[in-house]
Structure formats: C-alpha cells, structure tokens
C-alpha cells in the first residue's frame, strides 16, 4: 500500500546526521515534536526559522552519544529516565552571553535612588540589616558578581550588614562556569576600577590572560539550577531585588505571564523587579506597577517611595 506524506516525513528523520546538517532543516513532523518538547521543558518556543539552529547546536551532542539521526535523539529524550539529557539539550540550544555591569543604568538607579534610602531606613530601624537579591537567569555569573560588588561596597559586612545573592539558571553548563568564576582578562574593561582592584584577582604566568573572582564575592553568591518555567521554584523566602534581565525574550506571551507570576511571589513587599531594556511587561502582571522603564514594584507598595526616581530614570532613556 502506498504510504502518505506524513509517513515519508517520519522515515526521512532517520537520515544521517550529516545530511540533516547539510540541509539545515528537519522533517516538519519531527521538528514539531522538538518544538513541543522544548516548550514543555523550558517554556522556550522555537520558531520555524530556528530549525538550522536546532540541528547545529545538537550536532556535537549526537556525535558524543554515538547517535546517527535526530529521530534517534528524540527517542532518547522522551524516555522517562532521561531528565538529565533533556536538561543537556536545553543547555545546548540556549544562548548565554553577558557582561559585567551590563545595562549600567540599572546599577546607577540602585546607587542614586535605592541604596541611600535603604541606609536611611536601616538607621531608623525600619529595615533589617539583611539584603537578599536574586539573579534569575544568571548565565555565566557576571550579573550576580556585579551585584555582589555593588552591595558589598554600599553595605559592608564590617558594619553589620548581611548580604545574600542567589544566582540561578536553567543551564547546568553555565552554572559550572559561574561557580568556577574564571573569566577572560578582556572582560576587565567592563568592571569599574574600584571594583576591579577590590574584588578581582589577575592571573599570573600561564594564567595571565584570565582573572578570577575574589573570596569576598564567593562568600555572598550562591548558585542553583532553577527552571523559571516550572510550576514552582526551589527558592525560599522573598528578595529585595530580583534581576530577570534578557530572559523573557525567549518566551512567548503565555510563558512570560507564567514566569513573571512565579517570580513576583518571591518579591518582598518593598522590593524591585528589573527586566532587560528590550523587555516590556506591559499588563502581563496586574500586581506590578512601573517605577521606571524596565523597573517594577508591587502595585500595592507605597507609591511615593519612588516618585522622584521614576522621573529621573525616565529622562535617561
């Protein structure tokens, strides 16, 4: 009996990996299965134009596993005991590029508008001398280490302040890099000199081309794997600041709503949520109000708290 188009597409999925790489595409049925699996695992939706990216990013993994086709790999991924391999797949397809003190206006906002007020509140016994910050989607660690430098400068441990920075990502690969905390010396240009001298260690000899994060930062930064698209997070308590920058761009509207709703549950009553400058929440979460472009607070927080700062930040855009 002649076979229909759908069956022929499934057969083509067994084509050799090199052939798939050469075409830069997958049979539509198989690509659709990968789309659904990736969306279920991480909330990331790969458009049709991402077929070449998918095959290219996964090619090395297939070689390491000794698999000959993307169909074989999909069959492996969908086995119940392959949770680790599904996490590896997400690692392969996500992009994790970042810099120290990226989007500097956010750091300026903290120094000019937020940190002085926190000091005043602590002096008046209206705020405990403990600060918790969450870098959600921390990539290779530059963001949480930047935040830790800033916090340690403004709120020294010697004065009784307790600082905690939780840094999370879905990628185990970048979390390993973040924990190692070794970076190319070229990244030093992104770090202000006062922080570079105080918190970074320059390599010598055969390590002269790298720098390492100092022990002061390691003490306050903790890394953990968290899937922001999950129904709940293994995160305890609330945070004064949550940075979720350049993460939402990977999600569709439905996933954005789910992620922001989950994150906001861990924002302290007077806390602030920072998103990337290319990301706009709009009316995604009605419980949030905009303090300044890409900076948000809970809608029922005291409105006057950031009245002056909102105008200041807006003029800088």
């Amino acid at each position: 009996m002649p076979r229909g188009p759908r069956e022929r597409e499934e057969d083509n999925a067994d084509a050799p990996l090199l052939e798939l790489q050469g075409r830069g595409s997958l049979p539509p049925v198989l690509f659709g299965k990968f789309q659904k699996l990736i969306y279920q695992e991480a909330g990331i939706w790969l458009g049709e134009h991402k077929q070449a990216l998918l095959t290219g990013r996964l090619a090395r993994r297939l070689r390491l596993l000794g698999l000959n086709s993307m169909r074989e790999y999909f069959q492996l991924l969908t086995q119940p005991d392959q949770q680790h391999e599904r996490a590896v797949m997400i690692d392969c397809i996500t992009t994790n590029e970042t810099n120290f003190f990226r989007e500097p206006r956010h750091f300026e906002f903290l120094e000019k508008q937020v940190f002085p007020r926190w000091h005043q509140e602590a002096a008046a016994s209206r705020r405990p001398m403990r600060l918790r910050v969450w870098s959600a989607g921390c990539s290779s660690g530059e963001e949480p280490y930047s935040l830790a430098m800033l916090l340690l400068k403004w709120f020294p441990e010697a004065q009784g302040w307790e600082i905690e920075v939780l840094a999370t990502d879905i990628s185990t690969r970048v979390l390993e890099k973040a924990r190692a905390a070794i970076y190319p010396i070229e990244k030093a240009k992104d770090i202000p000199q006062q922080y570079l001298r105080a918190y970074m260690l320059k390599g010598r000899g055969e390590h002269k081309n790298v720098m390492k994060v100092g022990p002061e930062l390691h003490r306050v930064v903790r890394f953990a794997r968290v899937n922001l698209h999950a129904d709940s997070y293994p995160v305890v308590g609330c945070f004064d600041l949550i940075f979720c920058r350049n993460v939402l761009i990977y999600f569709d509207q439905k996933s954005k709503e789910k992620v922001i709703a989950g994150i906001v549950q861990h924002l302290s009553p007077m806390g602030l949520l920072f998103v990337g400058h290319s990301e706009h929440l709009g009316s995604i979460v009605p419980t949030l109000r905009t303090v300044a472009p890409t900076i948000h607070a809970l809608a029922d927080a005291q409105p006057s708290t950031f009245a002056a700062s909102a105008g200041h930040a807006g003029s800088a855009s």
Side-chain angles (χ1 to χ4, degrees):
M1 178 181 294
R3 291 178 295 176
R6 181 174 294 272
E7 292 174 294
R8 288 197 295 270
E9 284 176 350
E10 290 288 351
D11 287 346
N12 287 340
D14 278 323
L17 176 61
L18 292 178
E19 181 184 345
L20 286 172
Q21 285 183 279
R23 291 206 309 261
S25 63
L26 289 175
V29 171
L30 183 58
F31 181 68
K33 291 180 178 180
F34 272 99
Q35 281 179 310
K36 292 177 183 177
L37 178 62
I38 293 166
Y39 188 78
Q40 290 169 358
E41 290 294 315
I44 299 170
W45 182 254
L46 295 183
E48 298 296 330
H49 63 290
K50 297 288 188 180
Q51 291 190 30
L53 179 145
L54 180 67
T55 55
R57 294 279 178 88
L58 294 179
R60 182 171 179 272
R61 187 63 186 166
L62 267 66
R63 287 196 296 270
L64 287 173
L65 295 172
L67 300 177
N68 295 316
S69 72
M70 291 289 283
R71 186 180 184 185
E72 286 185 19
Y73 187 50
F74 184 81
Q75 290 172 342
L76 173 67
L77 289 169
T78 51
Q79 293 177 15
D81 62 347
Q82 290 299 317
Q83 184 176 357
H84 172 73
E85 187 58 39
R86 291 191 290 273
V88 172
M89 175 191 64
I90 299 300
D91 278 2
C92 292
I93 66 171
T94 50
T95 302
N96 300 283
E97 295 182 3
T98 187
N99 298 307
F100 287 98
F101 293 93
R102 185 178 183 181
E103 301 186 15
R105 291 178 192 173
H106 283 162
F107 296 96
E108 293 170 7
F109 182 89
L110 289 173
E111 292 197 279
K112 293 178 180 178
Q113 305 297 335
V114 179
F115 291 172
R117 180 176 59 82
W118 284 359
H119 269 289
Q120 293 170 1
E121 291 173 354
S125 299
R126 298 197 306 271
R127 164 179 287 277
M129 295 180 69
R130 184 188 185 203
L131 299 174
R132 302 188 77 218
V133 177
W134 181 12
S135 172
C138 67
S139 188
S140 46
E142 289 90 335
E143 178 178 272
Y145 288 131
S146 298
L147 287 166
M149 294 182 208
L150 204 67
L151 289 164
L152 288 174
K153 172 200 169 186
W154 274 86
F155 307 98
E157 293 175 306
Q159 294 180 11
W161 287 92
E162 182 181 347
I163 306 297
E164 178 190 352
V165 179
L166 172 64
T168 69
D169 203 280
I170 194 173
S171 170
T172 54
R173 173 174 50 86
V174 296
L175 287 172
E176 290 174 2
K177 291 182 179 179
R179 290 189 182 101
I182 298 174
Y183 300 96
I185 197 66
E186 291 79 13
K187 283 183 172 284
K189 69 181 186 303
D190 301 319
I191 305 174
Q193 281 296 316
Q194 59 175 319
Y195 299 128
L196 194 61
R197 290 192 297 267
Y199 299 115
M200 302 300 292
L201 306 174
K202 184 178 180 181
R204 297 180 179 179
E206 62 181 10
H207 302 294
K208 65 180 180 180
N209 293 324
V210 299
M211 60 181 179
K212 184 175 176 62
V213 165
E216 300 89 347
L217 301 185
H218 277 295
R219 277 204 309 271
V220 300
V221 179
R222 176 172 63 89
F223 293 95
R225 184 180 186 272
V226 171
N227 180 356
L228 295 176
H229 194 249
D231 293 331
S232 62
Y233 307 147
V235 174
V236 178
C238 292
F239 296 85
D240 301 285
L241 301 174
I242 298 178
F243 274 54
C244 185
R245 305 189 304 171
N246 305 299
V247 174
L248 299 176
I249 55 176
Y250 295 104
F251 298 121
D252 64 4
Q253 185 70 12
K254 184 178 179 180
S255 293
K256 285 179 184 178
E257 293 173 0
K258 180 179 181 180
V259 169
I260 292 299
I263 287 174
V264 166
Q265 292 182 28
H266 295 279
L267 187 64
S268 71
M270 298 303 295
L272 292 172
L273 168 65
F274 292 73
V275 298
H277 281 296
S278 62
E279 299 166 321
H280 302 281
L281 298 187
S283 59
I284 288 179
V285 182
T287 55
L288 290 177
R289 63 182 176 86
T290 300
V291 168
T294 67
I295 303 173
H296 306 272
L298 292 175
D300 56 0
Q302 185 178 343
S304 61
T305 303
F306 296 102
S309 60
H312 178 274
S315 64
S317 296

